[in-house]
Amino acid sequence: ALWFVRSQFPQLPIVIDHNLYTYNREAVLAFRRLGIWRDTVPLELNQKELSKRDNTFSEMILYGYYPLMVSAQCVRKNAASCSKKTGWLRLKDRYGKEFPVRNCCRECYNVIYNSLPTLLFSHLEEIKAAHIPDFRLHFTVESAEEVRKICRLFAGFWTGKQKQLPKELQNAYTNGHYKRGVE
């Protein structure tokens, strides 16, 4: 896919997503040699690993429901019947947590997302110190009002007017691997 885009649109700057892994310097350099303009910081990195990585040509997702799994088994077909229509549904685990699932019927796979969004706005200053030039808010299942609310919150943290997350968000998000790393 990367070769196709580069050959068909050689003038376009290409930003690769987190699923094209750039954990180490060699991987970053390999993609740079292929003409990649920016990479996305791997979702698994913690604060310490991020600070040691060369982030000069990277961007980082500061908000979003991170994908947990790509499944080749159709969740919709297993739960009811296949509608042959791409869409969303939710899985509930034994603890009652709901996980958004995106059905991609054309290619017959599913993306299962975390039950909580990752929200790193309160760590923005230390993330900026890692020399990341661009940031992304990655929306998937949010309503238009939720998108506006998250954008306003990000603007508050970006300008320094907001220092803490609102009380209603205290238990409604995760830091992902940022504080702990992969265990």
Side-chain angles (χ1 to χ4, degrees), residues 81-142:
S81 65
C82 183
S83 65
K84 304 266 191 256
K85 293 181 181 172
T86 295
W88 288 91
L89 61 117
R90 293 189 173 269
L91 289 177
K92 188 182 283 191
D93 72 4
R94 64 180 181 224
Y95 303 109
K97 291 184 179 182
E98 290 192 358
F99 297 81
V101 179
R102 175 77 172 159
N103 292 80
C104 304
C105 290
R106 184 171 170 219
E107 294 85 14
C108 199
Y109 73 93
N110 307 273
V111 180
I112 302 170
Y113 293 89
N114 200 347
S115 61
L116 294 172
T118 297
L119 180 60
L120 298 174
F121 298 171
S122 59
H123 306 289
L124 188 57
E125 291 309 312
E126 62 194 36
I127 292 171
K128 283 180 183 179
H131 306 290
I132 300 170
D134 290 313
F135 300 103
R136 233 172 41 215
L137 309 180
H138 189 85
F139 298 109
T140 50
V141 298
E142 296 81 359

Side-chain angles (χ1 to χ4, degrees), residues 164-181:
Q164 290 183 316
L165 292 171
K167 202 170 237 177
E168 70 268 12
L169 290 179
Q170 292 299 320
N171 295 315
Y173 73 95
T174 177
N175 285 308
H177 297 292
Y178 184 73
K179 287 308 235 184
R180 292 184 314 205

